[in-house]
Every structure is written in C-alpha cells, then in structure tokens.
Amino acid sequence: MSVKETIAQLRASLEKYNYEYYVLDNPSIDDAEYDRLMQQLILLEKEHPEYYSSLSPSQRVGGLVQDKFKEVKHKRQMLSLANAFSDDDLRDFDKKVRDISGLKKITYVAEMKIDGLGISLVYQGALQYASTRGDGVVGEDVTTNVLTIKSVPSHLKIKEDLEVRGEVFMPKKSLAHLNRIKAEAGEPLFANARNAAAGSIRQLDSAIAATRGLDAYWYYFVNSSDFNIRFHSESLKMLDSLGFKTNPERRVCQGIEEVISYVKESTEKRHHLPYDIDGIVIKVDDMALYDKFGYTAKTPRWAIAYKFPPEVVTTKLKDIIFTVGRTGKITPNAVLDPVRVAGSVVQRATLHNEDFIAEKNLMIGDFVFIRKAGDVIPEIVKPVIEKRTGLEKPFVMITNCPVCTEPLKKIEAMHFCVNPFCPARQIESIFHFASRNAMDIEGLGERVAEQFFNQAFFKNIVDIYDLKNHREQIIALDGWQKK
Ligand code: IVH
C-alpha cells in the first residue's frame, strides 16, 4: 500500500471510530488502540506534508488561529422561529395551520429547543464549511471550530450537495466545569449555556474551542426535497443514517393536544437532560405543505417555538452579609434557606448595593421569590409581602468595613473600603494578580490566597515571590505535599 493509501485508510478508520464513539456512544475499539492509530496518522502526516488535509481526524484538536472569520452568504436564509408562551398560543398556531392547509388534524414533530447556537453545515461529500446564522443572510465561517466537535461528520458516504442545520451547544457538565475554572481564575462566569456555546464557537483560536466540551444536534435537512423526502420526521431519520447526530428526544404528535401533553412532560423532564433546553420546537411534519404556509420576514409559518416560563420559587431571606472586593467595593449578599431552582440548589444571591435592596423593599426574614437569570445566576425578584409576620427586620447598610473596620466611603449607590491595607482587599488583589488573565499562577485561587494570607505566608503581591521561605509550613498544611 502506498503512503497515500495508508493515510486515507487511517483517516477513514478514525472517522468511523469517532462516529461510533461520539454519535452512537458505542465504541468498537478501546482508547489505547484509537490513540495508537491516531499517533500513526500524525506521524505519517508529519513526514508527508503534501497529503495535509484540514478535514483529517488529526486536525480535530484545533490549532488554527485566525485573526477574523470569513463571511459566508447562506444559500437559503437562516430563519428563526416565532414564539408561543402558553397552551392557547399553541392552539392559535394550530388553528392557523389547519385553516391554511384545509386539514382537520395536523401531524407535528415536537423537538427539544436546545439553548445553543444555530449552525449550518454544507457538504459536497466532504464538509465544505460550517457557518453561524449571523443576520440570517450572511454568517461567519467557523468550520475549524465546529470540526473540533467530534460528532460532526467531516465526510459523508454520498457526494450530492447537502445542507444541514442544527444547534451547537455546551452540555451542562461542560458548562459547570468551565464556570468552575473561570471562578477560580476570578473571571466573569458564562450566564447561560447559549453564551458559553457562542463564545466558544467564536474563539479565534480553535485549540481553545476544542477544550470546551461542545456537542451538536442536527434538526433541519434544508434540501431534503432533492432526496424525495416528504416528511420532516423522515428527513431526521435520513440524517441519522448519513451519520449526523440527531436528538432522540422527539415525538411525532397527532394534533395539537398531543403536542401540549409532550410539552408538559418535557417541562418536568428538562432538568434531567444533560443539556439546557429553553422550550419545545413544533414543526408541521408534511413538508409538502410548507410552500402553502410561506414565511414572515424572519420566521416560517410551519413551525413555532414554545418557550418555558422562567422557574420561580420562594424561600426565606435569612440574613444579609457583606463581601469586600479587590477595589474595596462592598457587596451585600442574600443568605437564603437552601432551595432548588432550575436544576440546582441556591443559598446565596448577590444584592448588588444598598439601593437595590431599597428598591426591592427587602427585609431580613422575608420570604422572597427567586429565579435564575439565563437559568444560571440566582436572582431575587421581590419579597412575598403577604407572608410578612411583622417580625422582619429592616436592612441597615453598614458604615464600617466588616473586615478592617475602616469607615466606608459612599460613591453613588456603592460603598467602598478605602483602606489599601484591608486584609480582604489584599487577598482579593493577590488572587486577582494570580488569576488567568493576569499572571496565571496555577493553583493560587481564592481559597488558597485566603489561606496563605491568614497564615501570613504573604501580606501582599510582592511576597508571592518569596513563598519559598515558607516551604516547610506549606507542606505541613492539609492537602499540600512535596513535589
Ligand atoms: S428549527 C426554520 N429546531 O432556536 C427552522 N430550531 O428561536 C429553523 N433551535 O434559530 C429552526 N432547537 O437556533 C429548530 N429543534 C430545533 C431547535 C431550534 C434549538 C434554535 C435555532 C433557532 C432558534 C429559534
């Protein structure tokens, strides 16, 4: 076999193994064997740069760094969906669909509305490009980043032109992991899965995108009529057989009442799914009817997105405590009776500043409504006034720093500790100095900064470089050892 043939064969095998592992979740070889084949391929490609291919399985760890994304004009406009917020909105939609089609009962396909980023894939046997929606007419070429998602096929078994659209998303686990790393580095967290997916796909360094644990589901076969497919449900099956990952959580429903039951079931189920959904998409199954329905400027009339209402719960505001930031800014924080909302337990929420608390008319001991902004960051909506007993205590803003007792200075709505030697400020600045966007000192997160400061291993940033003087004391601490 020639080198060229060996490379082609290795690539084909590795693609097949990617498909088995990432799409079917059913690998036929073990990791060691996969790594061995990959190493063999990488070596051959290095020795024979003339056979380089951007679609090779070896390129799927990223590496290309761009200074901007190329523009891509969509062959067909990438549409968005109209929204429904209640069962009655769904019944109105159904009525319009029945009126236009002249049919008594409509078959719908109900699918998860994944909170990610819409992406279009264009193939001619091999993947030509992957692009974002952009303004619907022109998007950005994000092929290299999308190829780091190993469930996305780089080649198909058919050579015909084909366009598929779907959603790239960040599974809950990946988002929690990424936000943990961001918190440790003192960086702002991603407020929701969509921002996280969009931020990752728009990374100019594809090696970073590759570390983000993204995945994708494909839900729309744009030119399925070229393959004589009449029903949307069938087109999804064809996508399956072509090697695309489609979401098995979907249902063909006879009539809108079946859709409404599915929506109810899904409202319960959503917190157990490994990815965030913000609603259910409902599509008319018979695509032969689509031309009759037509389109508004931005949305088709044959589909609608039911959006879940944000989940709101009540709990008790037990106390308000204060934290001191690096700049000395004092933040009041709500201490809550732990309560489950949108899939996780909440016991703290920021109250921003004195004015925020006054505007919301919050008292300590109040029952309060809690929700999660973008389903991630807990937020106090308002107190439950009817539940007041008269025993609630009014909130009084502190006048001195809770850590160093320095009198606070008020600037607009905010209070500051202006003592540059305040231990809380020192710890926060050491931690900030060590964070990823600054000196990127691995391991020196908020907890360690506080621990070392309290042990007097350092008092300020300069002392970080003399930590070696405390080697013995550090090793003596729990969780530390010699390296
Ligand atoms: S169909 C013309 N199906 O939701 C039909 N969209 O708010 C195009 N989305 O832009 C969309 N899950 O990015 C469709 N199962 C699903 C979806 C879905 C998520 C996104 C998509 C769309 C947005 C509309």
Side-chain angles (χ1 to χ4, degrees):
M1 211 189 303
S2 70
V3 171
K4 193 176 170 187
E5 283 163 340
T6 310
I7 288 180
Q9 201 180 63
L10 281 167
R11 285 175 180 166
S13 307
L14 286 161
E15 270 175 38
K16 175 171 153 269
Y17 297 135
N18 274 346
Y19 172 68
E20 289 173 353
Y21 188 92
Y22 293 101
V23 181
L24 302 180
D25 196 13
N26 185 18
S28 66
I29 58 162
D30 60 24
D31 293 1
E33 176 66 4
Y34 181 91
D35 290 344
R36 195 185 62 76
L37 295 173
M38 182 63 89
Q39 287 314 315
Q40 203 180 333
L41 175 64
I42 290 172
L43 194 70
L44 281 177
E45 286 178 340
K46 206 164 157 192
E47 284 167 1
H48 298 275
E50 66 273 26
Y51 300 132
Y52 167 84
S53 159
S54 63
L55 294 178
S56 170
S58 64
Q59 300 303 307
R60 288 186 159 223
V61 289
L64 180 71
V65 181
Q66 306 179 78
D67 51 15
K68 66 179 188 6
F69 297 112
K70 275 191 310 216
E71 285 190 345
V72 178
K73 187 163 185 322
H74 298 300
K75 275 195 238 150
R76 270 176 248 193
Q77 198 184 344
M78 248 178 117
L79 298 166
S80 172
L81 294 171
N83 292 325
F85 297 100
S86 65
D87 295 355
D88 281 340
D89 287 353
L90 290 177
R91 292 188 184 106
D92 287 347
F93 165 72
D94 177 58
K95 183 164 184 321
K96 276 194 210 117
V97 167
R98 284 185 289 114
D99 287 349
I100 298 173
S101 65
L103 296 169
K104 277 216 191 70
K105 199 167 190 175
I106 303 287
T107 304
Y108 294 105
V109 183
E111 302 168 8
M112 300 294 121
K113 183 173 184 314
I114 298 192
D115 204 13
L117 179 71
I119 293 285
S120 159
L121 303 176
V122 171
Y123 289 86
Q124 282 163 357
L127 177 67
Q128 303 300 299
Y129 55 83
S131 59
T132 60
R133 192 164 83 96
D135 61 4
V137 179
V138 177
E140 286 177 319
D141 182 337
V142 289
T143 312
T144 330
N145 288 344
V146 169
L147 274 171
T148 66
I149 304 168
K150 301 211 184 65
S151 62
V152 174
S154 58
H155 297 85
L156 302 177
K157 28 183 199 226
I158 59 170
K159 299 279 165 254
E160 287 87 346
D161 285 356
L162 188 141
E163 179 173 1
V164 175
R165 292 178 186 167
E167 203 82 357
V168 165
F169 61 93
M170 186 174 287
K172 286 177 187 168
K173 257 198 191 147
S174 310
L175 178 60
H177 176 72
L178 182 60
N179 270 347
R180 211 174 309 124
I181 293 176
K182 281 189 161 281
E184 274 163 23
E187 292 171 16
L189 308 188
F190 280 122
N192 56 50
R194 185 185 44 251
N195 291 357
S200 304
I201 280 298
R202 301 196 69 261
Q203 280 289 335
L204 290 163
D205 180 351
S206 58
I208 296 181
T211 63
R212 294 289 174 88
L214 297 172
D215 206 345
Y217 276 129
W218 305 98
Y219 49 63
Y220 185 44
F221 187 168
V222 180
N223 61 321
S224 54
S225 62
D226 293 348
F227 299 84
N228 295 322
I229 295 177
R230 175 162 168 189
F231 297 98
H232 174 64
S233 51
E234 254 179 68
S235 76
L236 292 177
K237 284 188 195 148
M238 172 147 180
L239 291 184
D240 277 334
S241 66
L242 286 170
F244 292 95
K245 189 163 169 172
T246 67
N247 195 340
E249 284 309 331
R250 59 181 187 246
R251 187 177 294 169
V252 176
C253 300
Q254 306 302 332
I256 202 70
E257 295 307 320
E258 269 189 42
V259 169
I260 291 171
S261 318
Y262 186 68
V263 165
K264 273 215 178 66
E265 267 175 55
S266 313
T267 310
E268 306 287 314
K269 203 170 176 182
R270 60 186 292 213
H271 299 307
H272 306 291
L273 294 171
Y275 46 80
D276 280 313
I277 59 170
D278 59 348
I280 302 290
V281 175
I282 297 117
K283 300 172 185 167
V284 173
D285 195 24
D286 189 350
M287 299 188 287
L289 299 171
Y290 285 11
D291 281 346
K292 238 190 197 168
F293 293 123
Y295 300 81
T296 69
K298 286 237 150 67
T299 61
R301 289 208 181 82
W302 41 263
I304 197 160
Y306 172 88
K307 294 288 241 343
F308 294 128
E311 195 187 339
V312 180
V313 299
T314 61
T315 189
K316 192 168 177 172
L317 173 60
K318 291 198 297 189
D319 198 2
I320 294 177
I321 57 169
F322 300 88
T323 47
V324 187
R326 172 175 56 95
T327 58
K329 183 176 177 278
I330 308 288
T331 306
N333 297 282
V335 181
L336 304 163
D337 253 346
V339 63
R340 215 178 163 77
V341 53
S344 74
V345 175
V346 169
Q347 42 195 341
R348 288 273 191 285
T350 176
L351 296 170
H352 306 288
N353 55 52
E354 186 183 16
D355 289 4
F356 180 88
I357 299 170
E359 270 161 33
K360 300 254 171 195
N361 176 22
L362 293 173
M363 295 177 82
I364 295 167
D366 265 338
F367 276 88
V368 288
F369 291 108
I370 307 284
R371 71 165 175 225
K372 284 201 190 152
D375 261 4
V376 175
I377 296 167
E379 176 177 272
I380 293 196
V381 186
K382 58 176 185 184
V384 192
I385 302 285
E386 309 80 66
K387 278 208 170 187
R388 283 205 173 145
T389 60
L391 296 174
E392 294 76 18
K393 282 190 286 186
F395 167 74
V396 186
M397 186 62 196
I398 48 171
T399 51
N400 294 71
C401 175
V403 177
C404 72
T405 72
E406 174 91 4
L408 299 180
K409 190 170 168 201
K410 189 166 185 215
I411 305 176
E412 288 167 14
M414 295 177 291
H415 288 77
F416 288 88
C417 169
V418 290
N419 170 14
F421 304 105
C422 171
R425 292 187 57 182
Q426 292 291 343
I427 292 170
E428 285 300 311
S429 27
I430 289 170
F431 159 59
H432 182 255
F433 179 80
S435 69
R436 206 141 49 119
N437 277 344
M439 298 308 286
D440 195 10
I441 305 177
E442 218 178 294
L444 189 48
E446 197 156 20
R447 204 178 49 79
V448 174
E450 188 176 343
Q451 187 183 25
F452 282 16
F453 186 89
N454 290 340
Q455 300 272 352
F457 297 165
F458 45 50
K459 278 279 155 241
N460 54 43
I461 288 166
V462 180
D463 295 346
I464 296 176
Y465 296 92
D466 286 326
L467 266 179
K468 53 183 177 300
N469 299 338
H470 300 279
R471 195 182 283 128
E472 297 310 317
Q473 291 152 290
I474 294 173
I475 293 171
L477 292 177
D478 241 12
W480 294 86
Q481 17 172 311
K482 207 164 172 167
K483 193 176 168 186

